[in-house]
Amino acid sequence: MQLASMVHGTGRDREAHDHRQLQHQHSNFYAQPQGRVHHSHADVTTALVSNPYASHHQQVEYQYQRAPQSPPSPPVEEVSKPSLPSISSLLGIADGERGSSETAGQSPRQSQQQPSQQQQQQQQQNGISINHSENRSDQVPQNFGPTISPSTTSTQSSISAQPYYLGQSLNNMEPHQQRQHVASAPILKRHSIPSQPSMSPYTTSPYAPSPYASSPGGASTASFYSPENHPYTSAGMYQQRPLPSNFPPQPMPMPVAPNSANASNLWQHHHYISASSQAAFPQSQDRYICQTCNKAFSRPSSLRIHSHSHTGEKPYKCPQPGCGKAFSVRSNMKRHERGCHAAANTPITAS
DNA sequence: GCCTCTGTTCTA
DNA sequence: TAGAACAGAGG
């Protein structure tokens, strides 16, 4: 009963959280265009492509200041673009350098730059050679990926300061990258649980401190049968966890819509996770998992007795005088009495 | 609906 | 023979 209430309560909390989050996003979504009134249509369009759901006000301001460059990284490119030579000229310079000596191949402009600036310059040149051939929209996921453009640090700070913005970027990430994000955070949060051989990673996800508290993992946190809350605390011997329906863990069922991000996708995103989280916690059996051997039991008493096999505890001692045998299971002790001491007891009881 | 107790059954 | 798990009964 308590478990059920916990699960339900978690679901309500999760929904409430989603609702609040969505309200927050909606408010920002509708408030955002107001901050762009003085911008041209092209600016607004570019900014929306880059981040249509900027929930943080600073993010809006940040992109507002340099709206023409939609991705989070382009300021250096923007500043240095006028001074960059064309690709044909670069090729010509390269050809000329090959023809002439290496020492004499430096142009006056390159000699004036610092080494780091030269690296940035070449990176920018490489970037430009790619950006010119690719669609602008394809550039967004790249900038949101783990390897942030080396342009500015404010870009990274703006992303880290916006959980939902980061979530959007996750959708643009490769599946293995998403798994890394999902799996790395919970491990840091894991606590007070001994070694779990071949334990499902999903058992760690419930403690994810990530902004995805509304994920199935976050919901399962409340339903977790924490040993601290159990009267029988056997040194973290066992725990309850939602059923193996989540086992083995499956990849995050995030709908991949990198470039078609809009409000409807937002709702679909959150609702999809919420629905899966509800279906991920069936009130079925085997909810009590031994942390030592990962064996599942349907009853806490069964798990408690099972824990005796790991601890070697044998609380049930044979009451027969001269028989110091102890058993971990009461029924086994009684059986022992019946079998071994029946000859001595039966005549007494019978007579 | 969940728990403990108890008995039964399987296995080494 | 004992360890271990499962299932029914009752609280």
Side-chain angles (χ1 to χ4, degrees):
Chain A
M1 186 186 299
Q2 295 176 352
L3 295 175
S5 63
M6 291 172 65
V7 171
H8 293 165
T10 304
R12 286 193 294 266
D13 295 340
R14 183 174 61 252
E15 290 179 357
H17 176 73
D18 291 345
H19 188 62
R20 288 192 297 269
Q21 191 174 12
L22 288 171
Q23 282 184 334
H24 184 64
Q25 291 160 3
H26 260 254
S27 62
N28 287 286
F29 179 76
Y30 290 115
Q32 191 173 8
Q34 296 177 359
R36 305 177 185 273
V37 171
H38 300 291
H39 276 274
S40 62
H41 177 69
D43 292 345
V44 174
T45 303
T46 310
L48 287 176
V49 169
S50 65
N51 182 15
Y53 313 111
S55 59
H56 198 277
H57 186 64
Q58 289 183 349
Q59 175 66 21
V60 177
E61 291 291 333
Y62 178 74
Q63 293 205 352
Y64 178 82
Q65 292 176 356
R66 46 191 190 88
Q69 299 297 329
S70 56
S73 61
V76 175
E77 177 183 351
E78 177 185 5
V79 172
S80 60
K81 182 178 287 185
S83 63
L84 290 175
S86 63
I87 298 175
S88 60
S89 63
L90 290 174
L91 294 175
I93 293 173
D95 293 337
E97 288 178 352
R98 290 196 191 96
S100 62
S101 63
E102 294 179 356
T103 56
Q106 291 181 348
S107 64
R109 182 174 56 85
Q110 289 177 338
S111 62
Q112 294 175 356
Q113 292 176 341
Q114 298 296 328
S116 62
Q117 291 178 342
Q118 292 180 5
Q119 292 179 353
Q120 287 186 353
Q121 182 80 10
Q122 293 192 355
Q123 290 177 356
Q124 293 164 8
Q125 291 174 358
N126 294 334
I128 288 174
S129 63
I130 296 173
N131 291 337
H132 277 292
S133 61
E134 292 182 356
N135 191 351
R136 194 68 176 180
S137 60
D138 294 337
Q139 189 177 357
V140 175
Q142 295 176 357
N143 291 329
F144 290 168
T147 57
I148 304 298
S149 172
S151 60
T152 59
T153 56
S154 63
T155 298
Q156 296 179 1
S157 63
S158 65
I159 291 176
S160 61
Q162 298 180 61
Y164 186 78
Y165 190 61
L166 179 61
Q168 285 295 108
S169 66
L170 282 176
N171 286 341
N172 298 331
M173 295 169 61
E174 295 296 331
H176 69 277
Q177 291 174 341
Q178 293 186 11
R179 283 192 294 272
Q180 289 177 354
H181 274 257
V182 172
S184 60
I187 292 175
L188 296 176
K189 191 69 175 182
R190 192 67 174 178
H191 63 88
S192 73
I193 293 178
S195 61
Q196 301 179 7
S198 70
M199 195 64 177
S200 167
Y202 182 74
T203 58
T204 63
S205 64
Y207 299 97
S210 65
Y212 302 97
S214 61
S215 64
S220 65
T221 304
S223 64
F224 218 79
Y225 197 87
S226 176
E228 289 83 358
N229 297 334
H230 196 277
Y232 183 84
T233 304
S234 177
M237 179 61 66
Y238 61 92
Q239 64 183 13
Q240 183 201 10
R241 72 177 178 187
L243 226 210
S245 61
N246 303 323
F247 188 87
Q250 298 178 354
M252 289 289 289
M254 288 184 178
V256 178
N259 298 328
S260 63
N262 52 37
S264 63
N265 283 338
L266 268 182
W267 284 91
Q268 291 175 0
H269 171 79
H270 283 273
H271 276 267
Y272 187 73
I273 291 178
S274 179
S276 61
S277 64
Q278 291 178 358
F281 304 103
Q283 295 296 320
S284 60
Q285 298 177 347
D286 295 348
R287 292 169 301 169
Y288 302 91
I289 309 300
C290 176
Q291 288 193 350
T292 303
C293 63
N294 290 337
K295 189 173 180 60
F297 297 90
S298 59
R299 301 174 183 178
S301 58
S302 298
L303 181 56
R304 185 180 62 216
I305 294 172
H306 167 78
S307 66
H308 293 165
S309 63
H310 295 302
T311 60
E313 181 182 1
K314 295 180 178 180
Y316 306 102
K317 291 179 172 57
C318 179
Q320 295 296 327
C323 181
K325 288 186 74 68
F327 300 87
S328 59
V329 181
R330 181 179 175 86
S331 60
N332 290 341
M333 185 268 290
K334 291 200 171 191
R335 182 183 57 185
H336 160 79
E337 277 190 292
R338 289 194 301 266
C340 297
H341 304 292
N345 291 336
T346 348
I348 298 174
T349 55
S351 61

